[in-house]
């Protein structure tokens, strides 16, 4: 056990040399201290008890135990309680713990809070908790900060509800570790949403921040780290950076790492790398991973691999996962699988998911399934979705049921494509209301297919629009289904683009309709090409219409083939017309095939006449 407490423990009566003040020189201070020591020595030799106590304290502080001991013993014999406390400290330093405790007891009984604290600490180290609690309580109740903190620590260890009261008392008296621990306790009690009842959670969070500030202001590096994190989350990035910097300079690797991320987000990757390097060299795996990612982005794969390995050596399982990603990107599949396995066996859920995907790509479905399951059960949303795909791919009724269960689990966690699959399944089962809810979630999450399917659901409920001539302008507010069609269309959904074109045409907006039809057709939509041809033909551009019908027919559109057959028949190109009629017969649907067959027979008669 080191010297009990700080200066107040050794020199609780205030009898010690003051620190150097403004304008004083170090040599002047030394001279003044020497003069003071001489004065106290002369007074002590003349029998002044207080001088003996002060001189003993001065020598003890300097480390002159041999010189301090006779002075302290002499003052103690005369009943000086400060001397008794300091004599206990001296004997404890010499290794005579039991004898030290005897002198602390004498001083504590005489009312020394510092001695009661030291005695309580002594009993706790000996395992005598009842005695420790008694003396620490004596110290704490006299207002001794170290006593209050030590008592709180003892009670907290035992799970005693009174610990919080004394931790707060120590913090209020300026004990920085008490302030930090009080802040951590309050922080842990605040729910993730920021409330645990009414405004209580918010007030607790504010109080925790206050204690972090007090501890950080007194030089507590971890308090500065947590304070920085609170401020960063709130968006006060400048102040957060200052506290991270303070903590990092004091040697807190996590603060250096956090400062690096703050600098990277501000666009200063070079400065970020400096702090990450400092943190990584101090054993921070997260910083090592960040350095690895930085070098990987720069194409420096060997350096990236070295830092990922350093992260792994620091106990950060992300290092193995990132090594797997790096190897997979380079086509080193066997090594990627090795690193994924290492991370997955260590509980890394995304590594388990990546390993399952790798196995699935290699055709090992049986090997992939348990890893998907393990990742999904650990909370991987992607793994839950992938399990849905795996079971749905089996093509069985049982597989479909299990697939839906996994899709629902992923959808509940916000997975867009999973919500789409649940919506499709519910539509298939006829539960339109539930399907709509899931489709809205997926569409809101950016799924073009979900936006399109939601639009079709809403479209089916719309009353029929009044008929009007093509080209006649009809101004009306767009319905919700039109808005969803347009959202899907702008995301490149071809069927949505065709539908938006049809709705524009129905409104009489030929230009807008042509734009969407053309966009769909150029993206490969045969319906888009066919409809664009119809629009062009109605506008008198039959040759250009034939170009788009040809594209649609070549892609398997029967009606487009029939239109081409009619075009060529009117032109007198009977053989070409018959060829497209034959094509329309084979493509269908039934109505088209029937009409095309009649046209083909007529053309055949004309050709044989």
């Amino acid at each position: 056990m080191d010297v009990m407490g700080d200066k107040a423990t050794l020199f609780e009566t205030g009898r010690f040399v003051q620190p150097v003040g403004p304008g004083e020189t170090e040599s002047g201070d030394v001279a003044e201290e020497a003069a003071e020591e001489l004065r106290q020595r002369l007074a002590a030799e003349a029998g002044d008890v207080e001088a003996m106590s002060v001189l003993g304290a001065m020598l003890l502080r300097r480390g002159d135990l041999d010189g301090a001991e006779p002075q302290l013993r002499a003052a103690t014999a005369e009943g000086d309680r400060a001397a008794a406390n300091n004599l206990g400290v001296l004997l404890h330093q010499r290794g005579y713990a039991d004898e030290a405790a005897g002198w602390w007891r004498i001083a504590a009984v005489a009312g020394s809070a510092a001695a009661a604290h030291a005695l309580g600490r002594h009993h706790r180290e000996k395992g005598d908790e009842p005695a420790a609690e008694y003396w620490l309580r004596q110290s704490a109740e006299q207002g001794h900060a170290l006593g209050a903190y030590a008592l709180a620590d003892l009670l907290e260890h035992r799970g005693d509800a009174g610990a919080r009261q004394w931790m707060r008392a120590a913090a209020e008296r300026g004990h920085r570790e008490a302030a930090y621990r009080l802040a951590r306790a309050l922080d842990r009690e605040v729910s993730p949403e920021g409330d645990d009842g009414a405004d209580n959670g918010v007030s607790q969070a504010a109080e925790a921040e206050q204690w972090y500030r007090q501890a950080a202001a007194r030089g507590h590096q971890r308090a500065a780290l947590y304070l920085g994190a609170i401020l960063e989350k709130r968006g006060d990035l400048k102040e957060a950076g200052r506290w991270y910097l303070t903590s990092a300079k004091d040697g807190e690797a996590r603060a250096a790492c956090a400062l690096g991320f703050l600098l990277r987000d501000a666009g200063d990757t070079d400065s970020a790398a400096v702090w990450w390097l400092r943190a990584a060299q101090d054993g921070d795996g997260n910083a090592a991973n960040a350095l690895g990612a930085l070098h990987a982005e720069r194409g420096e794969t060997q350096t990236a691999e070295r830092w990922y390995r350093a992260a792994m050596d620091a106990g950060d399982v992300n290092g193995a996962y990132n090594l797997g990603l790096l190897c997979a990107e380079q086509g080193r599949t066997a090594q990627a699988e090795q690193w994924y396995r290492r991370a997955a066996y260590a509980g890394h859920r995304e590594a388990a998911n990546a390993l399952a995907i790798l196995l699935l790509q290699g055709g090992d479905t049986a090997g992939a399934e348990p890893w998907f399951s393990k990742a999904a059960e650990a909370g991987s949303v992607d793994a839950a979705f992938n399990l849905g795909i795996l079971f749905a791919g089996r093509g069985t009724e049982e597989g479909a049921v299990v697939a839906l269960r996994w899709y629902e689990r992923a959808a509940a966690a916000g997975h867009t494509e999973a919500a789409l699959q649940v919506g499709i399944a519910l539509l298939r089962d006829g539960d339109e209301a539930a399907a709509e809810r899931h489709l809205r979630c997926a569409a809101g999450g950016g799924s073009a297919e979900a936006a399109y399917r939601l639009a079709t659901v809403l479209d089916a409920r719309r009353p029929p629009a009044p008929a009007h001539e093509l080209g006649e302008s009809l101004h009306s507010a767009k319905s919700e289904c039109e808005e969803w069609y347009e959202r899907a269309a702008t995301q490149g959904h071809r069927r949505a683009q065709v539908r938006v074109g049809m709705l524009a045409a129905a409104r009489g907006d030929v230009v807008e309709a042509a734009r969407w039809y053309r966009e769909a057709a150029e993206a490969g939509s045969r319906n888009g090409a066919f409809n664009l041809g119809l629009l062009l033909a109605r506008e008198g551009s039959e040759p250009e219409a034939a170009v788009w019908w040809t594209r649609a027919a070549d892609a398997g559109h029967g009606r487009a083939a029939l239109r081409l057959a009619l075009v060529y028949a009117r032109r007198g190109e009977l053989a070409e017309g018959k060829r497209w009629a034959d094509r329309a017969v084979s493509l269908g649907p039934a109505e088209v095939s029937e009409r095309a067959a009649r046209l083909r027979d007529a053309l055949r008669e004309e050709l044989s006449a």
Side-chain angles (χ1 to χ4, degrees):
M1 187 166 122
D2 294 330
V3 173
M4 290 291 177
D6 53 15
K7 286 182 181 179
T9 310
L10 291 174
F11 317 117
E12 60 173 351
T13 58
R15 289 171 276 175
F16 58 92
V17 179
Q18 295 297 320
V20 176
E24 294 177 337
T25 64
E26 187 177 345
S27 58
D29 182 60
V30 171
E32 184 181 335
E33 188 174 335
E36 175 62 20
E37 182 181 333
L38 179 58
R39 284 195 296 272
Q40 295 296 343
R41 189 177 295 278
L42 291 172
E45 288 173 356
D48 188 320
V49 175
E50 183 178 333
M52 295 175 193
S53 179
V54 172
L55 179 60
M58 293 177 69
L59 295 171
L60 177 59
R61 183 178 64 180
R62 201 165 65 207
D64 184 358
L65 305 188
D66 291 336
E69 185 171 352
Q71 300 295 337
L72 292 174
R73 284 189 182 277
T76 299
E78 296 297 328
D80 189 294
R81 72 178 189 185
N85 177 52
N86 293 338
L87 180 57
V89 173
L90 184 147
L91 292 168
H92 193 277
Q93 288 187 10
R94 287 191 184 278
Y96 304 124
D98 291 335
E99 189 180 351
W103 290 111
W104 282 330
R105 180 180 296 275
I106 291 170
V109 169
S112 169
H117 164 247
L119 186 57
R121 288 274 306 271
H122 169 77
H123 282 298
R124 189 174 182 188
E125 288 176 3
K126 290 287 187 180
D128 187 352
E129 289 197 1
E133 182 181 349
Y134 174 81
W135 288 111
L136 291 175
R137 197 174 290 277
Q138 294 294 315
S139 175
E141 288 174 352
Q142 292 180 64
H144 195 272
L146 294 173
Y149 174 72
L151 177 60
D153 186 63
L154 176 64
L155 295 174
E156 190 177 273
H157 175 71
R158 292 209 311 243
D160 192 306
R164 177 70 60 85
Q165 166 200 345
W166 290 110
M167 194 68 78
R168 188 181 298 277
E172 288 170 349
R173 291 164 190 161
H175 195 291
R176 70 179 190 182
E177 184 66 24
Y180 169 72
R181 287 179 61 173
L182 180 58
R184 293 295 297 139
L186 291 166
D187 222 354
R188 283 191 292 268
E189 291 171 4
V190 177
S191 66
E193 290 78 17
D195 66 77
D196 55 356
D199 295 329
N200 191 37
V202 176
S203 63
Q204 275 193 289
E207 187 182 0
E209 181 181 340
Q210 168 200 332
W211 291 116
Y212 279 135
R213 280 189 181 278
Q214 179 171 310
R218 291 177 176 272
H220 197 292
Q221 64 185 42
R222 279 169 296 166
L225 166 67
Y226 283 105
L227 178 57
I230 289 170
L231 293 165
E232 182 182 1
K233 187 176 181 181
R234 189 190 298 157
D236 296 337
L237 302 185
K238 277 193 174 181
E239 190 180 359
R242 286 198 297 271
W243 286 112
Y244 282 148
L245 180 61
T246 298
S247 182
K249 284 181 175 178
D250 284 341
E252 178 57 61
R254 288 176 296 171
C257 180
L259 180 58
F261 281 112
L262 215 56
L263 290 165
R264 182 207 58 186
D265 293 344
D268 189 355
T269 53
D270 290 336
S271 296
V274 171
W275 287 105
W276 283 334
L277 178 62
R278 182 166 174 172
Q281 288 173 338
D282 286 339
D284 190 285
N286 194 20
N289 271 314
L291 280 173
L294 183 63
H295 287 289
E297 286 173 9
R298 293 173 177 174
E300 300 163 355
T301 54
Q302 287 186 331
T303 308
E305 186 169 335
R306 178 167 62 84
W307 282 113
Y308 287 148
R309 286 180 183 273
M312 192 171 57
D313 293 341
D316 191 327
V317 71
N318 283 311
Y321 173 59
N322 288 333
L323 275 170
L325 291 175
L326 191 66
C327 291
E329 287 172 4
Q330 296 173 340
R332 295 152 58 191
T333 308
Q335 288 174 288
E337 181 180 338
Q338 168 198 341
W339 293 117
Y340 285 150
R341 280 189 186 278
R342 182 163 178 172
Y345 277 122
H348 195 294
R349 66 190 187 191
E350 296 309 327
N353 181 54
L355 174 59
I357 291 171
L358 207 61
L359 293 169
L360 196 61
Q361 289 171 343
D364 187 1
T365 306
E369 185 181 333
W371 284 112
F372 276 138
S373 295
K374 186 174 183 179
E377 294 295 351
S380 171
V381 180
D382 287 335
F385 176 66
N386 290 335
L387 265 177
I389 294 174
L390 194 67
F391 281 101
R394 292 178 178 175
T396 64
E397 187 175 340
E398 182 184 357
V401 171
V402 177
L404 180 58
R405 189 164 66 242
W406 284 111
Y407 284 146
E408 286 174 336
R409 183 164 173 174
H415 195 288
T416 298
E417 290 305 312
L420 169 62
Q421 294 303 320
V422 174
I424 291 171
L426 291 169
L427 277 178
R428 193 165 52 240
D429 293 341
D431 190 349
E432 190 177 289
E436 182 183 337
R437 287 197 303 273
H438 282 90
L439 291 174
R440 284 187 183 277
C441 289
S447 170
E449 180 66 22
Y452 172 73
R453 287 179 181 266
L454 174 60
T456 61
V457 169
L458 298 172
D459 203 359
R461 300 175 188 163
R462 288 200 310 163
H468 56 278
E469 294 297 322
L470 185 66
E472 178 187 343
S473 180
L474 182 66
H475 297 288
S476 62
K478 289 181 181 177
S479 65
E480 187 187 4
C481 80
E482 288 180 271
E483 291 174 355
W484 285 113
Y485 277 135
E486 286 193 8
R487 181 181 294 196
T490 55
Q491 291 176 260
H493 194 286
R494 293 183 301 180
R495 282 178 295 168
Q497 289 168 341
V498 173
R499 186 63 183 144
V500 171
M502 292 171 67
L503 291 169
R507 289 196 305 271
D509 191 343
V510 177
V511 175
E512 183 73 358
R515 181 174 76 85
W516 283 113
Y517 287 150
R518 188 179 300 277
E519 194 161 331
E522 289 176 347
S525 168
R526 61 188 186 184
N527 284 330
F530 175 69
N531 286 2
L532 180 58
L534 288 178
L535 207 62
L536 291 166
R538 288 170 186 168
E539 294 295 307
S541 302
E542 190 174 84
E544 188 181 354
V547 171
W548 289 106
W549 284 334
T550 301
R551 181 180 290 194
D554 287 341
H557 198 289
R559 284 188 171 83
L562 178 57
R563 288 277 177 175
L564 285 169
L566 291 168
V567 167
Y568 283 110
R570 284 197 298 270
R571 289 179 186 174
E573 299 177 30
L574 304 184
E576 188 66 10
K578 178 180 174 299
R579 185 174 74 82
W580 282 112
D582 285 337
R583 177 79 169 141
V585 168
S586 64
L587 290 174
E591 178 196 349
V592 170
S593 296
E594 185 181 340
R595 290 178 60 195
R598 289 199 299 268
L599 177 60
R600 179 188 60 187
D601 292 343
L603 291 172
R604 185 183 294 138
E605 287 179 12
E606 286 288 329
L607 286 168
S608 62

